[in-house]
């Protein structure tokens, strides 16, 4: 077993996994997995820069994670940064801060690399099962981008497109600095149009409709699953590998897009940082399912973080 630490810093959240990995057996023993909503991508779509307050929230989480990594004695650390830090003009400020706190340089990976890690993390357990038909379509709905990956045991083809729950919310639902609550039909239609255009783009290279099993990753998908299951709190063990039917996803998406902030915040599994962006995230998932005719989505709690861990084990 090799003790490793992986950090995934996305547009909306930063997450840590410390685990013991055995590449020979494919066994991953999780020691600590945590997530902090830092909204690093705050305003990036409009300004092209990382906001000072967003950087400070991210660095505060990095300091907490550095202590966890030290306490657990991880031998190796890999820090992967995704969409927001790819897009920002002042990304060097971000890099410098991470190096000072954690001692490693964040790898600002491409969408294709992001997709590779996500696929490995999500399907390593599923690939050996008989009841999951292949090929898999892994859909990772992030804050700034969504990754589409088709493959069997390994990635066959992948594509990253610039639609995510934060990007779509900021682009279409924010008026005069405030999120419309609930959004208008016109705003929802504008998000849907962007998502459909992104799906067209993805289909230029990724055969989405060849998929026999749809695997959904990241907070928008896991939150939809938690709501569907009626959980009294966020329970990762119940959400992992849950199979959520299309009709349920449609009902929840409509609910997220027609309720108020207070009503969404009162849902037991809802993280406070997802209250304003869950409608857009759920709509991305729904649009994908409708595009490929999926009758259900298999939800995975294992994703890019697990792929990062395996890459350094």
């Amino acid at each position: 077993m090799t003790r490793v630490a992986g950090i995934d810093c996305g547009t909306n959240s930063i997450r840590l996994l410390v685990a013991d990995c055995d590449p020979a057996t494919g066994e991953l023993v999780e020691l600590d997995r945590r997530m902090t909503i830092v909204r690093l991508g705050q305003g990036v779509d409009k300004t092209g820069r990382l906001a000072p307050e967003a950087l400070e929230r991210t660095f505060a989480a990095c300091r907490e994670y550095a202590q966890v990594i030290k306490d657990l004695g991880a031998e190796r650390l890999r820090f992967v940064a995704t969409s927001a830090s790819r897009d920002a003009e002042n990304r060097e400020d971000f890099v410098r801060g991470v190096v000072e706190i954690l001692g490693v340089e964040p790898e600002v990976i491409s969408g294709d690399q992001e997709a590779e890690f996500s696929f490995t993390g999500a399907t390593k357990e599923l690939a050996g099962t008989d009841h999951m038909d292949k090929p898999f379509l892994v859909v990772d709905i992030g804050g700034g981008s969504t990754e589409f990956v088709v493959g069997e045991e390994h990635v066959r083809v992948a594509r990253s497109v610039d639609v995510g729950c934060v990007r779509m919310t900021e682009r279409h639902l924010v008026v005069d600095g405030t999120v419309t609550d609930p959004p208008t039909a016109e705003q929802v239609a504008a998000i849907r149009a962007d998502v459909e255009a992104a799906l067209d783009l993805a289909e230029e290279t990724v055969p989405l409709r060849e998929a026999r099993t749809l695997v959904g990753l990241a907070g928008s998908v896991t939150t939809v699953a938690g709501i569907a299951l009626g959980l009294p709190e966020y329970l990762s063990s119940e959400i992992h590998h849950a199979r959520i039917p299309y009709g349920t996803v449609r009902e929840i998406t409509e609910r997220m897009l027609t309720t108020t902030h207070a009503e969404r915040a009162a849902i037991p599994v809802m993280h406070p940082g997802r209250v304003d962006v869950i409608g857009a995230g759920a709509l991305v998932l729904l649009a994908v399912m409708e595009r490929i005719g999926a009758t259900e989505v298999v939800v995975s709690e294992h994703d890019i973080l697990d792929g990062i861990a395996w890459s350094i084990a």
Side-chain angles (χ1 to χ4, degrees):
M1 286 281 197
T2 302
R3 182 159 296 182
V4 300
I7 294 176
D8 167 39
C9 185
T11 304
N12 194 43
S13 63
I14 183 169
R15 300 180 306 137
L16 168 70
L17 172 64
V18 181
D20 288 332
C21 299
D22 186 346
T25 63
E27 183 183 7
L28 182 149
V29 179
E30 179 181 314
L31 301 173
D32 196 299
R33 187 188 297 259
R34 61 183 66 196
M35 182 268 291
T36 310
I37 299 285
V38 294
R39 201 66 65 85
L40 178 62
Q42 172 193 330
V44 167
D45 196 44
K46 182 183 293 185
T47 67
R49 296 179 63 82
L50 298 168
E53 60 270 28
L55 283 169
E56 186 44 49
R57 289 193 298 266
T58 305
F59 294 154
C62 287
R63 294 183 193 101
E64 174 193 327
Y65 292 0
Q67 189 61 51
V68 174
I69 292 164
K70 180 181 177 181
D71 291 346
L72 290 174
E75 299 169 40
R76 303 177 197 166
L77 166 64
R78 189 171 189 177
F79 187 116
V80 166
T82 54
S83 180
S85 50
R86 274 204 303 269
D87 302 340
E89 293 172 9
N90 60 334
R91 58 184 174 271
E92 285 307 314
D93 296 340
F94 167 68
V95 172
R96 188 164 49 250
V98 170
V99 171
E100 287 175 2
I101 296 165
L102 288 159
V104 297
E105 189 164 321
E107 298 174 55
V108 183
I109 61 173
S110 69
D112 287 345
Q113 288 174 300
E114 194 174 337
E116 183 97 26
F117 286 144
S118 295
F119 186 85
T120 301
T123 65
K124 200 164 185 75
E125 297 165 297
L126 300 176
T129 61
D130 296 328
H131 61 284
M132 297 284 182
D133 293 333
K134 301 178 186 70
F136 299 115
L137 169 60
V138 173
V139 177
D140 187 347
I141 304 171
S145 63
T146 295
E147 282 65 55
F148 298 91
V149 197
V150 167
E152 286 79 21
E153 279 74 20
H154 301 285
V155 172
R156 194 200 316 166
V157 63
R159 184 73 178 264
S160 177
V161 295
D162 284 338
V163 291
C165 60
V166 174
R167 193 185 295 268
M168 290 298 95
T169 299
E170 290 191 345
R171 184 179 294 173
H172 297 295
L173 303 186
V174 176
V175 179
D176 296 329
T178 303
V179 178
T180 308
D181 188 31
T184 66
E186 291 78 12
Q187 288 173 316
V188 173
I191 295 175
R192 185 69 187 239
D194 272 7
V195 175
E196 293 295 341
L199 288 171
D200 291 341
L201 197 61
E203 281 201 292
E204 290 178 3
T205 49
V206 180
L208 302 179
R209 299 172 212 240
E210 285 185 18
R212 293 294 169 264
T213 299
L214 172 64
V215 183
L217 312 184
S220 292
V221 179
T222 58
T223 300
V224 167
I227 296 169
L229 296 169
L231 298 179
E233 60 184 351
Y234 194 96
L235 297 170
S236 179
S237 59
E238 296 291 322
I239 290 169
H240 188 47
H241 291 171
R243 301 167 82 146
I244 310 302
Y246 161 74
T248 304
V249 172
R250 188 185 66 236
E251 290 167 13
I252 291 170
T253 302
E254 291 172 355
R255 179 179 161 198
M256 295 302 100
L257 291 168
T258 54
T259 49
T260 65
H261 177 99
E263 288 169 331
R264 296 190 302 276
I267 297 170
V269 299
M270 186 72 68
H271 190 286
R274 297 209 183 275
V275 177
D276 286 332
V277 300
I278 185 60
L283 188 55
V284 175
L285 174 61
L286 180 67
V288 171
M289 295 183 78
E290 291 180 347
R291 177 65 67 103
I292 70 172
T295 58
E296 66 176 14
V297 58
V298 178
V299 181
S300 179
E301 285 276 4
H302 292 183
D303 51 25
I304 187 172
L305 263 182
D306 301 78
I308 293 167
W310 283 115
S311 75
I312 53 176

